[in-house]
Each structure stands twice: as C-alpha cells, then as structure tokens.
C-alpha cells in the first residue's frame, strides 16, 4: 500500500494514531490491543526514516513515541477531550437520574436536553465544586 502525505499531514497522522492508541490501550494494563501498538510502532519507525527521529525512540525492542513527542502537548489535547467527555457524560447521567431513568422518546427529549444544558452550565461555571455526597447515607 502506498500513501502520499506531506510532512505536515504525516505529523498529524502520528498525532491521530497516538491519540487513538491512547484511548484504546491506556487503561488496559497488560491486556492491550497489540495490533494497535504495532501500527503505532510502524508509523513512528517511518517518522524516524522521514527525518522526524526526535519523535521516536526504542523501548524494549519496539519503536515508540519519544518522550519529546509525548511531552510536546499531545496529552493536553487528550486531557481537554477527556474533561469535555467527562462533563457531558456526567450531565446526561444526572439528567436521566433526575428523570428517574425513564426511557427517553420524542415527548421528553426536550426536557432531557434542558436538564443536560442546565448541568453543563453549572459545570462550566463551577466545575464539580457543588457536587456533594451525603456521607451519612446507609
């Protein structure tokens, strides 16, 4: 297979491959999807061949993203995504809880959306500062 990319496009592909592999494998411990690690390794080996050696290093016999790559801002992008997803999931879960986890159809979709928007506005203004747990619950 041949794929023609500019250096900038290839650099973006490295970012996307790393982010995708991070999402798939970062929480899996030893039960990683090895085929995704393999593709990531192939791409970073290719980066080295294309004069982007600073982005790749060897670790336990594999080519992996270098420390310079992983500390170059990619994790800030991942963290921003994770924060957004966290708040969106939390807002929807709380809104559904408030609606007693009823099945949502076109009749109450607007209500669900309104509640989600209210929670999102709260999180945007205060984060999780106003979320409290009653420690005296059984």
């Amino acid at each position: 297979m041949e794929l023609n990319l500019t250096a900038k496009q290839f650099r973006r592909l490295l970012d996307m491959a790393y982010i995708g592999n991070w999402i798939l494998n970062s929480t899996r411990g030893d039960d990683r999807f090895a085929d995704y690690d393999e593709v990531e390794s192939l791409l970073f080996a290719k980066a080295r061949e294309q004069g982007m050696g600073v982005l790749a290093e060897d670790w336990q016999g594999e080519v992996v993203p270098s420390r310079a790559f992983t500390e170059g801002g990619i994790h800030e992008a991942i963290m921003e995504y994770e924060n957004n997803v966290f708040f969106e999931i939390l807002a929807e879960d709380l809104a559904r809880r408030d609606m007693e986890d009823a099945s949502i159809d076109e009749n109450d979709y607007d209500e669900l959306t309104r509640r989600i928007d209210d929670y999102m506005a709260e999180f945007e203004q205060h984060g999780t500062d106003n979320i409290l747990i009653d420690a005296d619950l059984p």
Side-chain angles (χ1 to χ4, degrees), residues 6 9 16 25 45 69 81 101 110 115 130 135:
T6 67
Q9 290 170 327
M16 291 187 311
N25 276 325
F69 176 86
Y81 168 79
D101 292 316
D110 289 341
R115 289 174 185 261
N130 293 331

Side-chain angles (χ1 to χ4, degrees), residues 10-11 14 43-58 63-72:
F10 183 67
R11 180 63 175 81
L14 292 174
L43 287 170
F44 278 87
K46 188 69 167 175
R48 186 181 278 163
E49 292 172 14
Q50 296 299 313
M52 300 177 190
V54 69
L55 303 178
E57 62 187 40
D58 293 312
V63 180
V64 297
S66 69
R67 178 169 284 197
F69 176 86
T70 61
E71 293 178 356

